[in-house]
Amino acid sequence: MAQHKIIFTGPVGAGKSTAIQSISDVPVMKTDASAKEIAKDKGASTTVAMDYGIIVLDNGERIHLYGTPGEERFNFMWDILLTGGMGLILLINNSSVDPMKDMRFFLKAFEKFIGKTAIAIGVTQMDKKNKPTISDYHAQFASTNMNPPIFEIDARVKSDVSLLVQALLYSLDSGIEK
Amino acid sequence: MTNRSESLSVALHGMDSRSIKTMTLFLERLCRNAAVVALNEQDAQIDIFDNDSTVSKNLLATHLQGVIQKPVIVLSLQGFEYKDVISLAKPLKKPDDMLAALKQIKKRLDKQSLRKSGDKTLVKPLVPRKKEEVVSIIEKNEPVSLPIVQNVTEELREQIIEEESHEQIIEQKPCVQIDEIIELESNTLRSFVYDEDESKKIAKHQTAMLLDENVFNQYIGTVDDVDVNDPSQFENAHYDPAAYYQGVVQNAINTCKKKNQNFLLETHWNLLFLKPRTEEVLFDKSYEELKLFAGIRLKNNYKKKSVSFLLNPFVSDTINIGNALNRFESMETFMWKLACWTSMGRYPKGIDYRKPVYLKHWPNFTRLLITPHALRIAAMLVLNPSTMGNIAQALKIKPQYVFVFISAAYAIGLAGQGARFSSSLVSALTKKRSLNEVLLLETLMEKLHGGSS
């Protein structure tokens, strides 16, 4: 049976683990380490390997939710995780030093995968720092042929994460009827 | 009963719509038209202030600080003493006090007119007093909300009920005339504290509200005179945002952004605070009231009842918003919602239903009211501009859902039209998928949809 995956990616502290936790039907499996030694000021813990959650559908099928490692030294795992992925959720921490640079980095890193599937971008921590705005993020795509959904989200709020995933799926196919 | 031509004209300040109605009927019925409410404040001979709400206190404070050119009557629970100002105790139990006050003023005005001094002021102007002095007098009264008139006669009560039922009709068959928005250049005094730093600490996060088809009509509303889902009636399925509160708010937002200054938009019924720097607004009434107000067509001449809008600049440290910091919301969220409630399933006048519409980018849906099929419409439109009819056809949905989405997106500048797009029928973005894939996506979407509402 084919594996159906949705990949969550983004820099350290963007809220990938929290977002997966928000929509997973099972307790999320985490492989965290103390942030102390690797990512100071990024929160109590960060994902050094990956997060894993599941959405269980009414017909019994499962959608696997994978969160990529936040640390670049684990990038070798990305290709493995992407295999069979339906689309990419990119989370950006708006309160980081240069969120636009973060976004460009991940867009570049996942360019091929996005080209074959779709992407939806969630901007977190906007209550801490409201600039850049959502419009500023959209402006980054003005010269490209991409026009992805970009939403302000609180990774702890299920409906926020759910809407982002819905937008990803409609980007894949707006003909889907609920 | 006094002949209406002999009646004094009064302007009512700081009263909500119900108080205005009560006072109007009180003057008409119990005071037998000794005074009538003027259609325009400028035409009034007397200013009557209610001094028992915070907003009205502010209005009165501002008024008394300036040169007072007309007689002033203050209605107050705890009495009010101020030179040459007539104070009447609330609630007004009998018309006697009011009649006596009006009689006294009429005498003064008659004397003034006999003098024919050429001085345009009707009474001797009062010397403006210091702000602190005025505020201390006014703040003797704590803000309370009590009826202006007590012991309303049965006749008056019936009249009010009748008027209120009529008001419901007005809301459905809009019939008030919009006045010019009056923009005051001077900074009107609003005495209390708004702390910009404190505001930043308050979470204003409001998760999107997801509407499905079942509650759409009830929540958004519908229009009676046209079937917006009948293609043969598309021609008439539009509305003019400028003729509604939506247009007034849009103008106010444009003004405050242009001037980069905080503004206050006020009517007799509500206040809207606008903060361009943070792109936030605060509406002082409930959303239910906003929804009702949004649906009233303001520009219509068949019933001459006017709504005045005052647009005042204000300085951020002198506005009274009480504990309402958490009620600020983004201008975009507010305009989107206002447009949905104004649209009621119609499209805006600036859009030609025969031409393709484009969507600049996805709306920030997590902070917006999500109308039925809004995500699907957005997904389709960001890729290919299309006519509203085509979108409805391609997605197999009712046109009203497309119209309301376009109304909201147009209101925040996301949707528009350009001549460069073809009007050919586009299809929804659908890749060739196996039946299993389609079923999987649909099942997943159903699950997510259920979980996000």
Side-chain angles (χ1 to χ4, degrees):
Chain A
M1 186 191 263
Q3 262 213 347
H4 310 294
K5 290 188 208 170
I6 295 176
I7 315 298
F8 287 70
T9 194
V12 178
K16 300 182 293 291
S17 308
T18 314
I20 292 174
Q21 190 117 34
S22 295
I23 54 168
S24 175
D25 289 322
V26 299
V28 173
M29 279 186 263
K30 299 174 80 172
T31 49
D32 283 353
S34 163
K36 218 173 179 180
E37 54 190 89
I38 47 172
K40 281 180 183 172
D41 306 323
K42 298 294 184 187
S45 66
T46 191
T47 307
V48 292
M50 62 174 196
D51 287 311
Y52 173 65
I54 302 172
I55 296 177
V56 183
L57 302 181
D58 292 345
N59 59 9
E61 283 202 86
R62 294 171 166 216
I63 306 294
H64 305 272
L65 310 170
Y66 286 100
T68 64
E71 293 298 306
E72 284 180 37
R73 61 195 167 110
F74 291 96
N75 290 3
F76 68 91
M77 291 183 67
W78 290 358
D79 285 343
I80 304 166
L81 290 178
L82 293 178
T83 309
M86 296 163 74
L88 186 72
I89 298 285
L90 170 59
L91 299 181
I92 299 293
N93 178 352
N94 211 46
S95 67
S96 74
V97 180
D98 191 347
M100 291 300 177
K101 190 178 165 192
D102 291 342
M103 182 173 77
R104 284 192 295 269
F105 171 81
F106 282 93
L107 288 174
K108 184 74 187 159
F110 290 92
E111 196 176 8
K112 276 187 190 168
F113 180 71
I114 297 166
K116 284 187 225 161
T117 58
I119 183 173
I121 300 172
V123 184
T124 61
Q125 311 282 0
M126 285 199 82
D127 52 337
K128 285 189 184 161
K129 193 164 157 247
N130 60 10
K131 298 277 169 59
T133 63
I134 295 294
S135 298
D136 295 330
Y137 283 97
H138 280 294
Q140 293 283 312
F141 291 91
S143 57
T144 72
N145 58 358
M146 290 172 71
N147 202 347
I150 305 175
F151 300 164
E152 175 185 348
I153 73 155
D154 181 334
R156 297 164 300 181
V157 178
K158 184 178 181 180
S159 58
D160 279 13
V161 182
S162 173
L163 273 171
L164 194 62
V165 177
Q166 286 179 57
L168 174 75
L169 299 179
Y170 282 130
S171 296
L172 285 167
D173 192 338
S174 60
I176 305 168
E177 292 176 48
K178 192 236 15 155
Chain B
M1 185 179 278
T2 310
N3 183 330
R4 264 185 170 265
S5 61
E6 294 170 12
S7 304
L8 292 166
S9 57
V10 300
L12 304 176
H13 304 275
M15 298 180 196
D16 59 21
S17 57
R18 190 183 173 97
S19 298
I20 289 172
K21 208 178 300 166
T22 311
M23 272 302 293
T24 305
L25 292 167
F26 177 79
L27 293 169
E28 183 187 319
R29 298 295 169 96
L30 301 185
C31 297
R32 302 194 165 256
N33 280 330
V36 293
V37 179
L39 283 176
N40 295 309
E41 282 178 17
Q42 292 83 353
D43 299 337
Q45 294 166 288
I46 305 167
D47 288 313
I48 299 181
F49 286 85
D50 177 13
N51 189 39
D52 290 317
S53 75
T54 310
V55 172
S56 58
K57 273 173 189 286
N58 294 339
L59 285 174
L60 181 58
T62 309
H63 188 77
L64 294 180
Q65 276 178 74
V67 176
I68 302 167
Q69 306 209 339
K70 297 173 189 174
V72 175
I73 296 175
V74 173
L75 309 177
S76 179
L77 272 174
Q78 297 170 19
F80 182 85
E81 285 181 29
Y82 197 93
K83 190 174 181 294
D84 287 347
V85 168
I86 298 173
S87 171
L88 297 181
K90 272 175 52 181
L92 297 167
K93 292 177 182 173
K94 293 178 189 172
D96 304 12
D97 293 345
M98 179 61 83
L99 286 170
L102 293 172
K103 195 173 174 184
Q104 187 186 335
I105 291 170
K106 190 158 179 29
K107 270 186 189 174
R108 282 162 61 185
L109 293 174
D110 287 344
K111 274 185 191 172
Q112 289 278 332
S113 59
L114 276 174
R115 279 186 209 148
K116 292 187 178 174
S117 61
D119 183 355
K120 284 183 179 178
T121 54
L122 294 172
V123 292
K124 187 182 173 186
L126 293 178
V127 180
R129 294 168 84 155
K130 285 182 182 173
K131 173 184 165 184
E132 296 74 21
E133 203 181 340
V134 175
V135 171
S136 74
I137 294 169
I138 288 176
E139 290 195 340
K140 277 179 188 171
N141 291 355
E142 288 300 313
V144 286
S145 176
L146 272 180
I148 287 175
V149 180
Q150 200 181 44
N151 294 341
V152 180
T153 62
E154 201 50 44
E155 183 191 11
L156 195 54
R157 193 189 311 277
E158 280 173 15
Q159 184 68 27
I160 291 169
I161 293 167
E162 190 188 321
E163 285 281 319
E164 284 184 345
S165 63
H166 179 60
E167 191 175 69
Q168 295 299 320
I169 296 166
I170 287 172
E171 281 156 5
Q172 287 161 13
K173 295 196 172 239
C175 54
V176 283
Q177 181 183 355
I178 187 170
D179 281 355
E180 293 281 312
I181 298 177
I182 304 159
E183 189 182 323
L184 301 182
E185 290 301 328
S186 64
N187 275 7
T188 309
L189 173 75
R190 306 283 165 191
S191 58
F192 291 90
V193 175
Y194 163 69
D195 187 329
E196 192 107 13
D197 291 331
E198 199 58 34
S199 172
K200 286 179 190 161
K201 296 177 196 165
I202 308 291
K204 293 168 216 91
H205 168 85
Q206 282 187 316
T207 305
M209 182 178 177
L210 204 61
L211 292 182
D212 63 22
E213 291 186 13
N214 299 330
V215 296
F216 177 83
N217 288 351
Q218 186 191 344
Y219 193 78
I220 297 293
T222 51
V223 285
D224 296 332
D225 50 348
V226 58
D227 180 359
V228 296
N229 294 318
D230 176 0
S232 69
Q233 296 186 48
F234 281 179
E235 180 83 44
N236 300 317
H238 61 82
Y239 75 103
D240 180 6
Y244 293 84
Y245 186 53
Q246 182 189 336
V248 177
V249 174
Q250 189 66 67
N251 284 338
I253 287 176
N254 293 344
T255 302
C256 81
K257 280 187 175 174
K258 194 174 159 192
K259 299 192 175 181
N260 196 25
Q261 188 180 3
N262 295 343
F263 270 82
L264 173 64
L265 176 66
E266 57 185 313
T267 70
H268 284 306
W269 297 286
N270 56 51
L271 300 172
L272 183 72
F273 300 96
L274 303 118
K275 290 169 60 193
R277 288 179 199 97
T278 53
E279 302 220 341
E280 287 178 322
V281 297
L282 183 147
F283 185 69
D284 77 327
K285 294 285 189 298
S286 69
Y287 287 144
E288 202 52 43
E289 286 167 274
L290 174 63
K291 184 178 157 185
L292 286 173
F293 197 49
I296 301 174
R297 186 178 164 82
L298 303 169
K299 269 187 182 169
N300 192 322
N301 290 325
Y302 80 82
K303 182 176 170 74
K304 287 182 180 172
K305 187 173 178 181
S306 64
V307 178
S308 295
F309 293 93
L310 293 177
L311 188 60
N312 286 305
F314 69 86
V315 286
S316 62
D317 60 349
T318 59
I319 193 77
N320 173 25
I321 54 171
N323 294 320
L325 287 176
N326 61 346
R327 290 184 56 197
F328 272 103
E329 61 186 316
S330 81
M331 286 178 174
E332 195 175 276
T333 304
F334 185 80
M335 277 310 295
W336 179 281
K337 196 161 37 192
L338 183 57
C340 287
W341 284 328
T342 312
S343 151
M344 292 189 281
R346 297 169 294 178
Y347 62 89
K349 193 182 170 187
I351 296 286
D352 184 339
Y353 76 95
R354 289 159 296 207
K355 292 182 181 170
V357 184
Y358 65 81
L359 188 66
K360 279 206 295 209
H361 58 71
W362 281 76
N364 183 20
F365 275 122
T366 49
R367 301 295 175 265
L368 301 172
L369 176 67
I370 304 179
T371 49
H373 309 287
L375 275 81
R376 299 177 70 201
I377 298 167
M380 193 177 155
L381 268 185
V382 289
L383 292 176
N384 296 305
S386 180
T387 66
M388 295 183 290
N390 283 353
I391 299 165
Q393 206 178 330
L395 297 178
K396 299 172 193 148
I397 57 175
K398 285 183 182 173
Q400 69 183 127
Y401 303 136
V402 184
F403 292 162
V404 76
F405 173 84
I406 294 299
S407 297
Y410 185 67
I412 62 169
L414 280 188
Q417 285 185 313
R420 67 185 187 280
F421 306 116
S422 75
S423 57
S424 58
L425 178 67
V426 293
S427 60
L429 170 66
T430 46
K431 283 185 180 175
K432 281 192 177 175
R433 296 183 190 281
S434 66
L435 186 60
N436 279 347
E437 274 182 316
V438 172
L439 282 174
L440 176 85
L441 284 173
E442 288 183 358
T443 317
L444 174 58
M445 196 58 86
E446 194 165 349
K447 167 119 187 177
L448 290 168
H449 199 276
S452 61
S453 51

